[in-house]
Amino acid sequence: MKLPKQVTIIEVGPRDGLQNEQNFVPTEVKAAFIRKLKAAGIKEMELTSFVSPKWVPQMRDAYDIVENCLTEDSRDIVLAPNRKGVERVYETGCRAIAVFVGVSSGFNRKNINKSTEEALEETLPLVKEMKERNYFVRACISTAFHCPYEGKVDPYETLAICKAFRDAGVDELSVADTIGQANPLEAFSLFSLLKRELPDVLMTAHFHDTRKMALPNILASMQAGVTRFDASAGGLGGCPFAPGATGNVATEDVVYMLDSMGISTGIDLEKLTGAIREVSSHISRKIESGYYNLSL
Ligand SMILES: CC(C)(COP(=O)([O-])OP(=O)([O-])OC[C@H]1O[C@@H](n2cnc3c(N)ncnc32)[C@H](O)[C@@H]1OP(=O)([O-])[O-])[C@@H](O)C(=O)NCCC(=O)NCCSC(=O)C[C@@](C)(O)CC(=O)[O-]
């Protein structure tokens, strides 16, 4: 089996994990969660998003989160959906921005009120502008496998969108199974194609665990050469505009699997579960990750 010696986890819990929570999680709790995740060894993390607070009220404290949580020793990323969001980020000290576009128009219309074409028209020039200003730019490509509104997505459509972002100059692509419907063969096949066609960009896989396929999909993606995975502490998360998008793969389950296979992540599992405990009483749904529940 082809396996890496080392894997990078990009923690998305404070953003993807919390954006779907019904109750507002107090800013100081989010900040303590982020600090504990960093203390556990997380070096790349999505902190929050500068989206419309009318659409995602949970993220309305984005400025305060950035103000309180930026540190020199980690790549702190924030999401922005449009020019207004990017300009809000320019007012902060944050140096890494993630843009997001789905492959399918059906999803984009629900998530950002635009078709795929309209979203690319706005986002690609923004990527070039951010690169001219020396930002680290990540592009999150949603519905790369399946769309909740349009069904199976053609891998060559996903490739075309990934190529457009690579050509615009992004540093990283985070390619997402938004509704957790992909299987390991699809994961291996798409990531083999993307790694072969786009070898010059950081390639990250983002799996949701809706059908408990995320760990097998990570294993299959490693076979295709992927060594970077998004994950969310406690398995929190999901996109509010993608029905069926329950939690992301739990960071602790990924770290446990990799640790036990001798693959290093640099993350301390005990400190990671401490970070989850920090936020767990503010979460309206039960935390279902296997490793976390055994640790209680
Ligand atoms: C894109 C829009 C804004 C379009 O929403 P819209 O309603 O079409 O936009 P608009 O331009 O008409 O603006 C409406 C109002 O929002 C304001 N506004 C407009 N933009 C911003 C902004 N950036 N920050 C703050 N405020 C903003 C704007 O100023 C205006 O305010 P008003 O005049 O009514 O008072 C909206 O659809 C939106 O915010 N969508 C974000 C949805 C979201 O956050 N989804 C989750 C993230 S994606 C995801 O989770 C998937 C991922 C990445 O994890 C990977 C995967 O698993 O697939």
Side-chain angles (χ1 to χ4, degrees):
M1 203 183 269
K2 181 182 160 193
L3 292 172
K5 288 198 167 41
Q6 209 174 332
V7 152
T8 301
I9 302 287
I10 298 88
E11 172 61 45
V12 299
R15 194 282 302 173
D16 204 348
L18 296 182
Q19 70 185 9
N20 216 3
E21 270 306 308
Q22 298 152 10
N23 306 324
F24 185 71
V25 178
T27 307
E28 59 276 14
V29 173
K30 290 176 184 153
F33 181 40
I34 290 168
R35 278 194 281 276
K36 289 200 168 178
L37 287 166
K38 289 186 180 190
I42 298 288
K43 295 284 181 221
E44 299 187 38
M45 175 159 30
E46 288 184 354
L47 296 189
T48 184
S49 55
F50 285 79
V51 294
S52 166
K54 288 183 181 148
W55 283 62
V56 189
Q58 185 65 251
M59 298 285 117
R60 66 178 183 256
D61 56 359
Y63 278 119
D64 292 335
I65 291 296
V66 168
E67 179 115 318
N68 282 302
C69 299
L70 283 188
T71 50
E72 293 286 324
D73 59 345
S74 68
R75 180 176 292 144
D76 294 323
I77 307 160
V78 297
L79 264 72
N82 55 9
R83 170 157 293 281
K84 177 159 187 168
V86 169
E87 284 181 353
R88 289 173 70 207
V89 183
Y90 287 161
E91 293 165 19
T92 74
C94 188
R95 300 298 311 162
I97 303 181
V99 292
F100 53 97
V101 173
V103 179
S104 54
S105 280
F107 172 72
N108 284 325
R109 285 206 181 87
K110 299 279 185 194
N111 196 39
I112 50 173
N113 206 15
K114 292 183 182 78
S115 67
T116 306
E117 210 182 321
E118 289 162 342
L120 291 175
E121 242 167 60
E122 174 161 20
T123 313
L124 294 173
L126 275 174
V127 169
K128 289 185 187 152
E129 177 184 302
M130 289 185 271
K131 285 313 300 171
E132 278 159 19
R133 292 174 177 234
N134 284 327
Y135 280 82
F136 177 92
V137 182
R138 158 173 157 110
C140 302
I141 312 300
S142 294
T143 59
F145 296 88
H146 297 268
C147 170
Y149 308 102
E150 294 179 14
K152 175 124 180 83
V153 169
D154 179 346
Y156 286 91
E157 276 183 40
T158 300
L159 173 64
I161 290 190
C162 289
K163 267 190 174 158
F165 278 104
R166 189 277 313 269
D167 294 346
V170 295
D171 300 281
E172 180 188 15
L173 289 162
S174 166
V175 177
D177 178 22
T178 307
I179 52 169
Q181 200 174 332
N183 65 48
L185 277 179
E186 289 172 306
F188 178 78
S189 162
L190 181 62
F191 282 110
S192 298
L193 176 70
L194 296 177
K195 289 287 288 179
R196 189 172 66 242
E197 296 292 325
L198 306 168
D200 47 356
V201 67
L202 291 173
M203 184 63 65
T204 301
H206 177 115
F207 289 112
H208 285 257
D209 211 14
T210 320
R211 292 167 181 77
K212 300 290 169 214
M213 284 287 162
L215 288 179
N217 284 338
I218 286 176
L219 191 59
S221 307
M222 286 194 294
Q223 299 290 295
V226 178
T227 58
R228 296 173 57 82
F229 296 96
D230 290 350
S232 171
L236 306 175
C239 177
F241 308 103
T246 53
N248 291 266
V249 66
T251 311
E252 59 279 17
D253 286 343
V254 181
V255 172
Y256 174 77
M257 178 180 86
L258 296 174
D259 270 2
S260 62
M261 292 165 75
I263 301 170
S264 145
T265 60
I267 296 168
D268 181 310
L269 269 171
E270 207 171 307
K271 289 185 180 164
L272 180 60
T273 50
I276 301 163
R277 271 193 286 279
E278 186 72 44
V279 79
S280 60
S281 61
H282 297 269
I283 302 298
S284 52
R285 71 179 178 82
K286 189 178 175 306
I287 291 179
E288 284 174 359
S289 95
Y291 187 87
Y292 179 73
N293 284 315
L294 277 174
S295 77
L296 293 176

